[in-house]
Amino acid sequence: MPRVVDEEARRAHIADAVLRLAAKGGLHAVSLRAVAAESGLNIGSVRHYFDSQHALMRFAMRTTIDQTTARLVKRREAMGSLAEVSPEEAVDRLTEFLSELLPLDERRRTEITVLVEFLIAARANPGLDDLAREAVQGTVTLARRIVDAQARSGRYEPRDPEIEAPRLAALIDGIAFRTVLQPDLTTPEECVAVLRAHLAELTRPVGDTQV
């Protein structure tokens, strides 16, 4: 009997190969032939699912965005209600939640490295711009939800969400991009410490006069 192939699993397997190649050598290293070699498939099998390098890159980026979003949703569910915990515990939980967007392990480092490569490529390739905008805007949207939730709770000093949401998103992106571009300059521990310090300032309780 012919072997039944799980097409979604095969496409995901190929996407993983794209991510590894892009993380190691940039998007210019991603070709159908290189992906075939990296994934252990013949080039005909790769072409069966993707007819061009462009299609490969879009699928890999789409997969990365979707996987990151799914992990964030799972972490958000596990985080529980911040209204029921102390401000210190809220900061701890938010730090752990948002650390999903920092390159603290090999998986996240690979994804963020590819994101940087993808954003650079999208500047000259309009066919990638929609996914690039989605990835960047996704961090701002997430930050806005956090800032809005803090404001609704009434527990924290009032903040302008039009300023604080882009500020938080820029901090996360800045830490992440700096770390993958110059890994020797920033440790994972420093990434988390910077994020935690900002969240502690952002979630200062009403009446706290600490400077």
Side-chain angles (χ1 to χ4, degrees):
M1 293 179 62
R3 185 174 58 180
V4 176
V5 175
D6 184 334
E7 299 216 349
E8 286 304 312
R10 176 63 58 84
R11 287 167 68 88
H13 176 69
I14 294 172
D16 286 342
V18 174
L19 294 179
R20 291 194 299 272
L21 286 170
K24 288 186 291 187
L27 289 181
H28 64 275
V30 178
S31 66
L32 293 175
R33 190 172 300 280
V35 170
E38 179 71 20
S39 63
L41 301 172
N42 62 57
I43 194 169
S45 295
V46 176
R47 284 201 177 104
H48 174 73
Y49 298 99
F50 305 100
D51 60 3
S52 67
Q53 181 195 41
H54 178 79
L56 272 169
M57 289 193 299
R58 282 191 62 87
F59 181 75
M61 193 59 196
R62 175 79 268 161
T63 299
T64 300
I65 292 173
D66 290 347
Q67 288 178 346
T68 302
T69 299
R71 290 197 304 268
L72 285 168
V73 169
K74 186 175 181 179
R75 279 184 175 267
R76 178 64 188 90
E77 292 171 350
M79 185 167 60
S81 173
L82 300 183
E84 300 173 356
V85 300
S86 68
E88 293 78 10
E89 178 65 19
V91 170
D92 288 344
R93 293 188 186 186
L94 282 172
T95 301
E96 183 177 0
F97 172 61
L98 291 174
S99 290
E100 188 60 49
L101 299 175
L102 299 180
L104 304 183
D105 55 29
E106 192 61 32
R107 170 182 54 76
R108 283 175 283 185
R109 183 180 295 275
T110 295
E111 290 177 347
I112 295 169
T113 300
V114 173
L115 173 61
V116 171
E117 293 284 341
F118 193 87
L119 293 176
I120 293 171
R123 295 180 64 232
N125 188 338
L128 303 176
D129 185 63
D130 60 325
L131 290 177
R133 289 175 63 87
E134 181 179 345
V136 172
Q137 186 58 42
T139 307
V140 179
T141 300
L142 180 62
R144 178 61 184 259
R145 289 174 180 170
I146 290 172
V147 173
D148 286 347
Q150 302 304 87
R152 288 195 303 271
S153 74
R155 302 174 64 192
Y156 305 100
E157 292 291 345
R159 303 282 179 171
D160 182 353
E162 299 300 326
I163 297 296
E164 295 300 339
R167 182 183 176 203
L168 176 56
L171 178 79
I172 294 168
D173 288 343
I175 296 172
F177 295 174
R178 171 189 170 93
T179 304
V180 299
L181 292 172
Q182 294 292 335
D184 295 338
L185 299 181
T186 308
T187 66
E189 293 76 16
E190 289 170 337
C191 291
V192 174
V194 170
L195 176 60
R196 185 186 300 277
H198 180 72
L199 290 171
E201 193 275 335
L202 181 63
T203 58
R204 183 179 299 159
V206 171
D208 188 341
T209 59
Q210 179 181 354
V211 177

